[in-house]
PDB file of all heavy atoms in Angstrom:
ATOM      1  N   VAL A 228      20.368  33.647  10.904  1.00  0.00           N
ATOM      2  CA  VAL A 228      19.791  34.197   9.677  1.00  0.00           C
ATOM      3  C   VAL A 228      19.549  35.691   9.907  1.00  0.00           C
ATOM      4  O   VAL A 228      18.660  36.056  10.682  1.00  0.00           O
ATOM      5  CB  VAL A 228      18.468  33.508   9.308  1.00  0.00           C
ATOM      6  CG1 VAL A 228      17.948  34.047   7.976  1.00  0.00           C
ATOM      7  CG2 VAL A 228      18.650  31.997   9.234  1.00  0.00           C
ATOM      8  N   PRO A 229      20.322  36.572   9.261  1.00  0.00           N
ATOM      9  CA  PRO A 229      20.165  38.017   9.506  1.00  0.00           C
ATOM     10  C   PRO A 229      18.745  38.502   9.223  1.00  0.00           C
ATOM     11  O   PRO A 229      18.038  37.965   8.377  1.00  0.00           O
ATOM     12  CB  PRO A 229      21.167  38.635   8.518  1.00  0.00           C
ATOM     13  CG  PRO A 229      22.172  37.552   8.280  1.00  0.00           C
ATOM     14  CD  PRO A 229      21.396  36.266   8.321  1.00  0.00           C
ATOM     15  N   ASN A 230      18.359  39.532   9.960  1.00  0.00           N
ATOM     16  CA  ASN A 230      17.059  40.198   9.785  1.00  0.00           C
ATOM     17  C   ASN A 230      15.871  39.269  10.051  1.00  0.00           C
ATOM     18  O   ASN A 230      14.817  39.405   9.425  1.00  0.00           O
ATOM     19  CB  ASN A 230      16.951  40.800   8.380  1.00  0.00           C
ATOM     20  CG  ASN A 230      18.082  41.761   8.079  1.00  0.00           C
ATOM     21  OD1 ASN A 230      18.423  42.603   8.900  1.00  0.00           O
ATOM     22  ND2 ASN A 230      18.677  41.615   6.902  1.00  0.00           N
ATOM     23  N   THR A 231      16.056  38.309  10.926  1.00  0.00           N
ATOM     24  CA  THR A 231      14.987  37.389  11.341  1.00  0.00           C
ATOM     25  C   THR A 231      15.071  37.239  12.858  1.00  0.00           C
ATOM     26  O   THR A 231      15.999  37.767  13.485  1.00  0.00           O
ATOM     27  CB  THR A 231      15.158  35.997  10.693  1.00  0.00           C
ATOM     28  OG1 THR A 231      16.306  35.354  11.273  1.00  0.00           O
ATOM     29  CG2 THR A 231      15.323  36.097   9.178  1.00  0.00           C
ATOM     30  N   PRO A 232      14.147  36.505  13.465  1.00  0.00           N
ATOM     31  CA  PRO A 232      14.277  36.240  14.909  1.00  0.00           C
ATOM     32  C   PRO A 232      15.401  35.262  15.245  1.00  0.00           C
ATOM     33  O   PRO A 232      15.730  35.091  16.422  1.00  0.00           O
ATOM     34  CB  PRO A 232      12.912  35.628  15.273  1.00  0.00           C
ATOM     35  CG  PRO A 232      11.993  35.977  14.156  1.00  0.00           C
ATOM     36  CD  PRO A 232      12.847  36.039  12.936  1.00  0.00           C
ATOM     37  N   TRP A 233      15.987  34.626  14.225  1.00  0.00           N
ATOM     38  CA  TRP A 233      16.931  33.520  14.468  1.00  0.00           C
ATOM     39  C   TRP A 233      18.369  33.988  14.259  1.00  0.00           C
ATOM     40  O   TRP A 233      19.049  33.591  13.302  1.00  0.00           O
ATOM     41  CB  TRP A 233      16.610  32.363  13.530  1.00  0.00           C
ATOM     42  CG  TRP A 233      15.140  32.086  13.471  1.00  0.00           C
ATOM     43  CD1 TRP A 233      14.315  31.763  14.520  1.00  0.00           C
ATOM     44  CD2 TRP A 233      14.306  32.138  12.314  1.00  0.00           C
ATOM     45  NE1 TRP A 233      13.026  31.593  14.083  1.00  0.00           N
ATOM     46  CE2 TRP A 233      12.987  31.820  12.725  1.00  0.00           C
ATOM     47  CE3 TRP A 233      14.533  32.398  10.961  1.00  0.00           C
ATOM     48  CZ2 TRP A 233      11.926  31.776  11.847  1.00  0.00           C
ATOM     49  CZ3 TRP A 233      13.479  32.355  10.078  1.00  0.00           C
ATOM     50  CH2 TRP A 233      12.193  32.054  10.518  1.00  0.00           C
ATOM     51  N   THR A 234      18.849  34.837  15.168  1.00  0.00           N
ATOM     52  CA  THR A 234      20.180  35.422  15.013  1.00  0.00           C
ATOM     53  C   THR A 234      21.118  35.058  16.168  1.00  0.00           C
ATOM     54  O   THR A 234      22.152  35.682  16.339  1.00  0.00           O
ATOM     55  CB  THR A 234      20.073  36.955  14.920  1.00  0.00           C
ATOM     56  OG1 THR A 234      19.385  37.444  16.093  1.00  0.00           O
ATOM     57  CG2 THR A 234      19.324  37.386  13.674  1.00  0.00           C
ATOM     58  N   HIS A 235      20.758  34.042  16.950  1.00  0.00           N
ATOM     59  CA  HIS A 235      21.569  33.698  18.111  1.00  0.00           C
ATOM     60  C   HIS A 235      22.665  32.687  17.783  1.00  0.00           C
ATOM     61  O   HIS A 235      23.683  32.635  18.480  1.00  0.00           O
ATOM     62  CB  HIS A 235      20.684  33.148  19.225  1.00  0.00           C
ATOM     63  CG  HIS A 235      19.577  34.083  19.604  1.00  0.00           C
ATOM     64  ND1 HIS A 235      19.793  35.267  20.270  1.00  0.00           N
ATOM     65  CD2 HIS A 235      18.239  34.030  19.381  1.00  0.00           C
ATOM     66  CE1 HIS A 235      18.645  35.897  20.450  1.00  0.00           C
ATOM     67  NE2 HIS A 235      17.684  35.168  19.922  1.00  0.00           N
ATOM     68  N   GLY A 236      22.458  31.877  16.751  1.00  0.00           N
ATOM     69  CA  GLY A 236      23.458  30.894  16.380  1.00  0.00           C
ATOM     70  C   GLY A 236      22.921  29.911  15.362  1.00  0.00           C
ATOM     71  O   GLY A 236      21.748  29.973  14.985  1.00  0.00           O
TER      72      GLY A 236
END
Side-chain angles (χ1 to χ4, degrees):
V228 184
N230 304 315
T231 70
W233 315 302
T234 56
H235 304 290

